[in-house]
């Protein structure tokens, strides 16, 4: 019996799905661990995020499954796009809070007073850049899966450029988050340990998705 070889693409899909599944499990952990402390909205959002990333993992892991059923392929693609759009909406709903956080640094410091650069404002700038990089990258992936992926022959350049730009934006966000965490001691999750572990997991899954597109 001929054994299936593990190609670089299959390995990448396995790892990408693993990161998505791990982030899904992390949100389930939050629900269980902080059930009594979280408000109803927080519990609902964590449950939705856990479901979305579980769907992401399922989408990537079923990439190599040979299915002649057109209905299966259509459902698989539709569910994934809806999940991707849902995580974009959840991310976008925080824009007011992000702007308020950036403004807290803007109002308290002077970025450049004519003589010297004020580095105390940098955390707000880095946080804002990381947030909008991620938001822009997710939007590019939505555009890619909605309009480009099924028409790659019509848009050969866009089919490469969009995932590459999205990947670079996600990488940029990860680097900025690590600078905030390690350089400024800012926890983007519940604590520093969770930030150092789960932020890379979150971004590595999305970076792997961009590579999957290529």
């Amino acid at each position: 019996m001929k054994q299936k070889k593990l190609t670089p693409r299959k390995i990448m899909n396995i790892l990408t799905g693993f990161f998505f599944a791990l982030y899904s499990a992390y949100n389930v952990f939050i629900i269980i661990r902080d059930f009594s402390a979280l408000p109803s909205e927080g519990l609902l959002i964590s449950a939705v995020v856990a479901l979305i990333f579980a769907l992401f993992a399922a989408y990537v892991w079923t990439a190599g499954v040979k299915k002649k059923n057109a209905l299966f392929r259509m459902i698989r693609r539709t569910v994934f796009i809806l999940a991707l759009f849902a995580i974009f909406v959840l991310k976008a709903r925080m824009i007011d809070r992000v702007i308020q956080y950036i403004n807290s640094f803007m109002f308290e410091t002077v970025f450049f007073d004519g003589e010297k650069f004020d580095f105390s404002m940098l955390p707000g700038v880095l946080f804002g850049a990381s947030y909008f990089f991620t938001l822009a990258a997710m939007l590019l992936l939505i555009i890619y899966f909605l309009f480009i992926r099924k028409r790659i022959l019509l848009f050969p350049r866009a089919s490469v450029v969009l995932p590459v730009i999205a990947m670079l934006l996600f990488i940029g966000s990860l680097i900025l988050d690590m600078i905030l965490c390690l350089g400024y001691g800012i926890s983007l999750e519940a604590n520093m340990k969770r930030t150092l572990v789960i932020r890379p997991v979150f971004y590595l899954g999305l970076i792997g998705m961009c590579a999957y597109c290529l």
Side-chain angles (χ1 to χ4, degrees):
M1 190 177 193
K2 190 176 179 180
Q3 294 183 346
K4 294 182 179 180
K5 294 182 179 179
L6 276 179
T7 63
R9 180 177 177 83
K10 288 181 180 178
I11 294 173
M12 180 198 68
N13 287 351
I14 292 171
L15 289 175
T16 300
F18 171 75
F19 288 128
F20 284 148
L22 195 58
Y23 194 74
S24 175
Y26 168 70
N27 279 273
V28 173
F29 164 78
I30 290 176
I31 295 172
I32 297 173
R33 172 87 180 251
D34 304 327
F35 184 82
S36 59
L38 282 175
S40 299
E41 182 183 5
L43 290 172
L44 178 61
I45 290 174
S46 293
V48 171
V49 171
L51 175 61
I52 288 172
F53 277 83
L55 291 173
F56 285 172
Y59 178 83
V60 176
W61 281 337
T62 57
V65 178
K66 301 297 181 182
K67 291 286 184 180
K68 296 181 180 180
N69 191 335
L71 179 61
F72 171 83
R73 294 197 302 269
M74 183 189 71
I75 292 175
R76 175 177 175 270
R77 178 175 179 271
T78 303
V79 169
F80 173 76
I81 292 175
L82 289 175
L84 188 59
F85 183 74
I87 200 66
F88 173 81
V89 171
L90 286 175
K91 189 78 174 175
R93 66 185 287 276
M94 297 175 58
I95 192 167
D96 290 342
R97 299 178 191 176
V98 172
I99 292 175
Q100 288 176 6
Y101 183 79
I102 296 171
N103 286 340
S104 68
F105 288 91
M106 298 280 188
F107 293 142
E108 294 175 5
T109 62
V110 178
F111 193 53
F112 187 76
D113 62 7
E115 296 180 1
K116 62 180 181 178
F117 188 79
D118 190 349
F119 286 95
S120 61
M121 183 180 168
L122 271 180
V125 175
L126 297 177
F127 183 82
S130 173
Y131 172 81
F132 286 108
F133 282 2
T134 302
L135 207 60
M138 287 181 176
L139 182 59
L140 288 177
L141 285 181
I142 291 172
I143 293 172
Y144 171 83
F145 279 99
L146 272 178
F147 305 109
I148 305 298
R149 187 162 180 82
K150 297 290 284 186
R151 306 174 183 86
I152 287 180
L153 295 179
L154 297 177
F155 305 101
R157 184 172 298 178
S159 67
V160 175
V161 172
L162 263 64
V164 168
I165 294 176
M167 182 187 295
L168 292 175
L169 288 171
F170 285 133
I171 292 173
S173 293
L174 175 57
I175 292 172
L176 293 177
D177 282 4
M178 290 300 99
I179 292 174
L180 285 169
C181 182
L182 298 174
Y184 291 93
I186 296 176
S187 299
L188 301 173
E189 299 294 332
N191 54 52
M192 194 68 70
K193 289 182 180 179
R194 289 193 196 182
T195 301
L196 288 173
V197 173
I198 212 63
R199 299 305 282 190
V201 167
F202 172 77
Y203 286 114
L204 287 173
L206 293 170
I207 290 167
M209 175 57 68
C210 295
Y212 166 87
C213 296
L214 299 173

